[in-house]
Amino acid sequence: MRVFVPATTTMLRALIDDGEFSPISRTAFAVTPTLREAYSSGDDDELADVALREAARASLRLLGGEGEVDETDGGADADADVDVDAAAAATAAGSAPRRVVIAADVDPVTLRPDLDDAVVRLPQPLSLRQVASVHVDLAEAEPAVRAAVEAIDAADLGDVDAEFVLGDAEDHELAWYAPQEIPFLLDLM
């Protein structure tokens, strides 16, 4: 099954360096039977695009999570204001504020319709051999991604203005890279 794994550039570096990485809770997105039922029309490619967009949105949450730990001071910043620019902190820690989605072929996966229509759980860490492609924001998307990282929680809680901020980031198409291009991509970032 083709799955779309949300990631960050830091996680992508770990995949290249170690040959595998374990996504948080081994969560990924795919064209599941529940996702097919949720859409009255759409072919496999259109539904795969829906799953990829869900993974890209989850990547925003991962970017925010990387910003919670500042590697320069060695731990969580307990006194930080809620409005700290999490994506900027992630950049300072070595991760560009770009959404990353890893497309891979994994079997078998566990369907998780209790979480969302497209959510699946991977059976084991993701191996570089399973990667079909990688989708990454271009540099021009970084300002919109930074803003979206800050707005994602508010959007989840129904803030219409925050949803527009997410839309600005989602208007940027993710660039496609073959697995053998990933080391060169990381060197250029």
Side-chain angles (χ1 to χ4, degrees), residues 24-98:
I24 294 179
S25 300
R26 294 199 184 139
T27 297
F29 298 82
V31 178
T32 65
T34 307
L35 182 65
R36 285 184 197 282
E37 290 175 18
Y39 285 83
S40 60
S41 66
D43 62 17
D44 285 345
D45 290 337
E46 291 169 324
L47 293 174
D49 187 57
V50 170
L52 183 132
R53 283 187 278 125
E54 289 294 321
R57 187 171 275 210
S59 178
L60 291 171
R61 291 180 182 85
L62 295 174
L63 284 168
E66 281 186 350
E68 291 175 5
V69 176
D70 183 353
E71 293 177 5
T72 60
D73 71 6
D77 188 358
D79 298 327
D81 292 332
V82 174
D83 295 329
V84 170
D85 186 351
T91 300
S95 175
R98 299 185 192 187

Side-chain angles (χ1 to χ4, degrees), residues 6-185:
T8 64
T9 55
T10 302
M11 294 172 179
L12 194 55
R13 285 181 203 282
L15 176 63
I16 293 301
D17 292 346
D18 302 336
E20 70 177 26
F21 94 101
S22 189
I24 294 179
S25 300
R26 294 199 184 139
T27 297
F29 298 82
V31 178
T32 65
T34 307
L35 182 65
R36 285 184 197 282
E37 290 175 18
Y39 285 83
S40 60
S41 66
D43 62 17
D44 285 345
D45 290 337
E46 291 169 324
L47 293 174
D49 187 57
V50 170
L52 183 132
R53 283 187 278 125
E54 289 294 321
R57 187 171 275 210
S59 178
L60 291 171
R61 291 180 182 85
L62 295 174
L63 284 168
E66 281 186 350
E68 291 175 5
V69 176
D70 183 353
E71 293 177 5
T72 60
D73 71 6
D77 188 358
D79 298 327
D81 292 332
V82 174
D83 295 329
V84 170
D85 186 351
T91 300
S95 175
R98 299 185 192 187
R99 297 170 298 162
V100 175
V101 176
I102 302 168
D105 295 315
V106 178
D107 279 314
V109 298
T110 304
L111 302 178
R112 293 298 312 266
D114 56 314
L115 296 177
D116 200 85
D117 293 342
V119 176
V120 297
R121 187 173 195 286
L122 304 180
Q124 58 200 20
L126 184 67
S127 166
L128 187 55
R129 291 185 319 274
Q130 297 171 302
V131 175
S133 61
V134 174
H135 307 265
V136 181
D137 275 314
L138 298 174
E140 63 205 26
E142 288 181 13
V145 171
R146 276 189 192 96
V149 167
E150 292 178 15
I152 188 95
D153 290 334
D156 286 345
L157 295 173
D159 184 318
V160 176
D161 292 333
E163 190 63 43
F164 280 119
V165 172
L166 288 185
D168 289 342
E170 291 170 347
D171 285 344
H172 291 273
E173 292 291 323
L174 298 175
W176 180 95
Y177 297 92
Q180 63 270 23
E181 295 175 306
I182 300 169
F184 303 107
L185 168 67

